C-alpha cells in the first residue's frame, strides 16, 4: 500500500492522504489569511471523508471539476455538514482564492454522494472500506481501508470520553498500519464533569449579578453540546449562528446522537435567534445566556454581541474551546482586549476559558494506541507530531511523523 501525505502532516488543517494513488482520505482546508489547501493536484477515483469539519472536508467540492467526478463516501451527517460548510465558504469568499469552487461544484457533491452508516463495509476505488464511530462530532468516523494486502486504520479526529452529544469511540478494528491524530498529545484535559460544573457555576453567578453571558462556540458539535449542558442545568439561553442549522439537521439523524431526547429538550430550551442585528442588540441587553458562533471571535453573530456587552464588568464571555494563536479569542484571554470589526477595543467584561474538547487528550491517545502495539504508526494532525512519535518509539512502538508531501510504502 502506498500513502501520500498531502496535508495535515505536522500541522492541524488541510488533512488529505492519498492511498494507492486512487483513494483520497479527507480533503480539508487550513483556515488562515490566506487559507492553505492540500499540496499537489489529485484526481482520485473515490474520496472518503472522516467527518464534517472544515479542516477535513473544506476543499472537497474542488475535486468535482473536469470530466471525471469521484464518488464521495461519508456518513449521512458528514454529507450534510459538508454541504453546510461549502455553502458558507461560498457565501463568505465566493469568487476569491479563499473559495476554490463554485455553486456548480457544490451541486455535483449531492450527485456524487454515497452515504454509509457505521459498520457497513463498502467498496471505494477497489478498496474495502468501513466506518466506525470516532466519538468526535455526530457522524465522525475512524476509517478502515483494506486493499487486499494491507489494512489501514485512519483514526481521523476522535474522542475516547463520552460527551453529552456523542459517545466516545470504543471500536478497535485490527489494522497493520494506523494513521493517528495527535492534537492534544501533550495535554491532559480536566475531567469533563468538573469543567461542566465550573462553567455552570460561573454562568449562574453572572446571571444572579444581573449580567449577560456570551458563550462563543464552534457551530458543529460544540454549540449543540453547550445547549445540552445548559438545558441539563435548567439554564435558559439563546442560540445564534450556523450552529442553529446544525441543530435542526441533527433532528434527522437521531442514530448519530448519544441521547436524541436530551438534544430535543436542549433545542426547546434554547430560543433561536433569527438573525437581525437589531434583535441581537436587544437580546444582548437582557439578563441571559447567548451561545453563538464564532468560537474564536473571528466572525459570526458574536461580532454583534461582544461590542454590546464588552464595557460592563458584570457581563461575561465564556470561551469554550482552544483559541488558536493570532485569533481575537486568544487576544481576549491573554490581554483583555479584542479586535472587533476592524479596531482593537478593551473589554471590561470578564473573559474565561473552558476546555470542552472533542479530542482525546494524551491519556486518551495512549489508551487508544495500546490496541495497536504491533502496527506501524504514522502520527499526524498536531503541532508536535515528531515529538509524540519519538515518545512512542521510546515506549517500543514503530511510530514516525511524516511531512507534508511525503510518500511512503507500507
Ligand atoms: Zn474535527
Amino acid at each position: 500500500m502506498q500513502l501520500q501525505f498531502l496535508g495535515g502532516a505536522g500541522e492541524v488543517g488541510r488533512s488529505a492522504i492519498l492511498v494507492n494513488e486512487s483513494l483520497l482520505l479527507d480533503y480539508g482546508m487550513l483556515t488562515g489569511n490566506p487559507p492553505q489547501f492540500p499540496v499537489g493536484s489529485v484526481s482520485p477515483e473515490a474520496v472518503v471523508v472522516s467527518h464534517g469539519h472544515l479542516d477535513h472536508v473544506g476543499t472537497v467540492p474542488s475535486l468535482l471539476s473536469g470530466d471525471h467526478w469521484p464518488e464521495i463516501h461519508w456518513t449521512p451527517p458528514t454529507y450534510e455538514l459538508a454541504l453546510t460548510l461549502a455553502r458558507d465558504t461560498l457565501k463568505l469568499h465566493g469568487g476569491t482564492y479563499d473559495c476554490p469552487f463554485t455553486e456548480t461544484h457544490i451541486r455535483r457533491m449531492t450527485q456524487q454522494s454515497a452515504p454509509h452508516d457505521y459498520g457497513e463495509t463498502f467498496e471505494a476505488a477497489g478498496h474495502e472500506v468501513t466506518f466506525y464511530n470516532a466519538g468526535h462530532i455526530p457522524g465522525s468516523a475512524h476509517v478502515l481501508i483494506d486493499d487486499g494486502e494491507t489494512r489501514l486504520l485512519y483514526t481521523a479526529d476522535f474522542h475516547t470520553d463520552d460527551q453529552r452529544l456523542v459517545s466516545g469511540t470504543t471500536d478497535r478494528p485490527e489494522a497493520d498500519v494506523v494513521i493517528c491524530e495527535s492534537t492534544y498529545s501533550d495535554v491532559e484535559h480536566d475531567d469533563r464533569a468538573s469543567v461542566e460544573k465550573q462553567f455552570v457555576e460561573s454562568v449562574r453567578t453572572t446571571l444572579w449579578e444581573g449580567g449577560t453571558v456570551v458563550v462563543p462556540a464552534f457551530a458543529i458539535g460544540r454549540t449543540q453540546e453547550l445547549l445540552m449542558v445548559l438545558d441539563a442545568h435548567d439554564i435558559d439561553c439563546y442560540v445564534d449562528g450556523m450552529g442553529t442549522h446544525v441543530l435542526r439537521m441533527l433532528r434527522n439523524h437521531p442514530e448519530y446522537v448519544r441521547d436524541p431526547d436530551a438534544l430535543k429538550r436542549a433545542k426547546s430550551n434554547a430560543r433561536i435567534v433569527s438573525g437581525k442585528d437589531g434583535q441581537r442588540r436587544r437580546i444582548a441587553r437582557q439578563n441571559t445566556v447567548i451561545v453563538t458562533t464564532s468560537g474564536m471571535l473571528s466572525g459570526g453573530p458574536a461580532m454583534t454581541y461582544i461590542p454590546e456587552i464588552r464595557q460592563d464588568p458584570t457581563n461575561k464571555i465564556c470561551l469554550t474551546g482552544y483559541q488558536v494563536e493570532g485569533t481575537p479569542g486568544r487576544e481576549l484571554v491573554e490581554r483583555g482586549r479584542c479586535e472587533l470589526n476592524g479596531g482593537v477595543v478593551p473589554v471590561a467584561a470578564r473573559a474565561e476559558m473552558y476546555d470542552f474538547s472533542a479530542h482525546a487528550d494524551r491519556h486518551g491517545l495512549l489508551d487508544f494506541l495500546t490496541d495497536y502495539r504491533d502496527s506501524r504508526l504514522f502520527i499526524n494532525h498536531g503541532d508536535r507530531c515528531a515529538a509524540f512519535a519519538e515518545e512512542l518509539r521510546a515506549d517500543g512502538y514503530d511510530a514516525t511523523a511524516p511531512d507534508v508531501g511525503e510518500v511512503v510504502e507500507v
Side-chain angles (χ1 to χ4, degrees):
M1 182 180 279
Q2 189 202 65
L3 304 175
Q4 248 176 296
F5 293 88
L6 306 176
E11 61 188 5
V12 177
R14 61 168 179 174
S15 284
I17 300 148
L18 188 61
V19 180
N20 292 332
E21 296 182 333
S22 59
L23 178 66
L24 185 61
L25 300 178
D26 285 346
Y27 207 54
M29 173 187 293
L30 201 164
T31 46
N33 198 11
Q36 292 179 59
F37 306 105
V39 299
S41 64
V42 283
S43 51
E45 280 172 45
V47 187
V48 174
V49 181
S50 65
H51 68 285
H53 272 156
L54 213 49
D55 58 330
H56 293 259
V57 73
T59 316
V60 164
S62 74
L63 296 165
L64 301 169
S65 50
D67 301 331
H68 172 74
W69 307 338
E71 234 184 345
I72 310 168
H73 302 270
W74 36 27
T75 62
T78 301
Y79 163 60
E80 302 221 31
L81 294 170
L83 278 181
T84 304
L85 288 169
R87 288 183 186 128
D88 189 57
T89 303
L90 188 69
K91 195 171 98 190
L92 293 173
H93 306 292
T96 72
Y97 169 85
D98 295 13
C99 180
F101 52 84
T102 64
E103 182 65 47
T104 308
H105 298 107
I106 298 179
R107 233 183 353 258
R108 286 177 191 159
M109 276 209 313
T110 61
Q111 294 167 26
Q112 295 306 102
S113 168
H116 309 276
D117 288 322
Y118 295 142
E120 166 197 329
T121 299
F122 56 93
E123 192 270 340
H127 301 71
E128 271 191 6
V129 182
T130 315
F131 290 140
Y132 297 90
N133 171 35
H136 175 58
I137 59 168
S140 68
H142 300 303
V143 187
L144 184 71
I145 302 112
D146 191 338
D147 68 357
E149 288 178 5
T150 307
R151 291 162 305 176
L152 165 70
L153 179 68
Y154 172 47
T155 70
D157 298 4
F158 67 95
H159 202 350
T160 40
D161 295 341
D162 288 342
Q163 304 173 69
R164 286 187 182 268
L165 185 59
V166 286
S167 312
T169 163
T170 52
D171 290 314
R172 301 289 179 270
E174 275 186 38
D176 310 299
V177 180
V178 178
I179 300 174
C180 185
E181 71 122 317
S182 61
T183 318
Y184 289 112
S185 68
D186 61 346
V187 173
E188 301 285 0
H189 298 317
D190 287 340
D191 165 61
R192 175 61 68 104
S194 71
V195 172
E196 199 175 296
K197 188 162 171 263
Q198 287 167 33
F199 169 75
V200 166
E201 276 171 11
S202 175
V203 167
R204 280 217 175 100
T205 305
T206 300
L207 291 177
W208 283 325
E209 290 170 358
T212 310
V213 186
V214 173
V215 182
F218 308 124
I220 297 173
R222 195 64 43 86
T223 291
Q224 300 79 37
E225 177 79 10
L226 286 157
L227 296 185
M228 293 176 85
V229 169
L230 291 167
D231 176 57
H233 296 273
D234 291 320
I235 300 171
D236 297 345
C237 63
Y238 285 93
V239 58
D240 200 347
M242 201 214 279
T244 60
H245 298 283
V246 179
L247 185 61
R248 288 196 192 96
M249 180 278 276
L250 288 176
R251 267 191 319 197
N252 303 325
H253 301 284
E255 67 278 28
Y256 286 89
V257 170
R258 182 179 164 197
D259 183 346
D261 290 334
L263 183 65
K264 210 175 192 175
R265 286 195 300 274
K267 185 173 176 289
S268 14
N269 180 59
R271 273 165 289 182
I272 295 178
V273 182
S274 66
K276 293 192 186 69
D277 278 352
Q279 184 196 7
R280 288 182 177 129
R281 278 190 279 273
R282 279 194 300 278
I283 292 169
R285 286 195 287 271
Q286 294 179 25
N287 178 210
T288 191
V289 184
I290 306 153
V291 179
T292 182
T293 48
S294 81
M296 301 188 206
L297 301 180
S298 48
M303 295 301 96
T304 306
Y305 293 115
I306 303 290
E308 292 298 316
I309 68 136
R310 73 176 172 91
Q311 282 172 318
D312 186 345
T314 318
N315 297 331
K316 197 174 272 170
I317 301 163
C318 291
L319 297 155
T320 55
Y322 181 71
Q323 304 293 307
V324 170
E325 187 84 54
T327 59
R330 180 73 165 256
E331 178 88 0
L332 175 64
V333 176
E334 287 181 352
R335 300 197 181 80
R337 61 182 194 200
C338 197
E339 193 182 321
L340 291 171
N341 308 320
V344 177
V345 294
V347 176
R350 281 161 296 167
E352 296 174 350
M353 241 309 278
Y354 295 90
D355 183 6
F356 280 96
S357 176
H359 288 268
D361 63 3
R362 181 180 177 85
H363 175 80
L365 291 169
L366 292 174
D367 186 51
F368 182 94
L369 290 173
T370 310
D371 285 299
Y372 298 99
R373 279 235 161 243
D374 300 324
S375 311
R376 183 162 172 194
L377 307 184
F378 293 98
I379 304 302
N380 76 341
H381 199 286
D383 296 328
R384 55 184 302 280
C385 298
F388 187 49
E390 199 179 317
E391 289 157 14
L392 289 167
R393 280 199 302 278
D395 193 19
Y397 285 94
D398 175 0
T400 47
D403 292 324
V404 171
E406 199 168 320
V407 183
V408 291
E409 298 284 341
V410 293

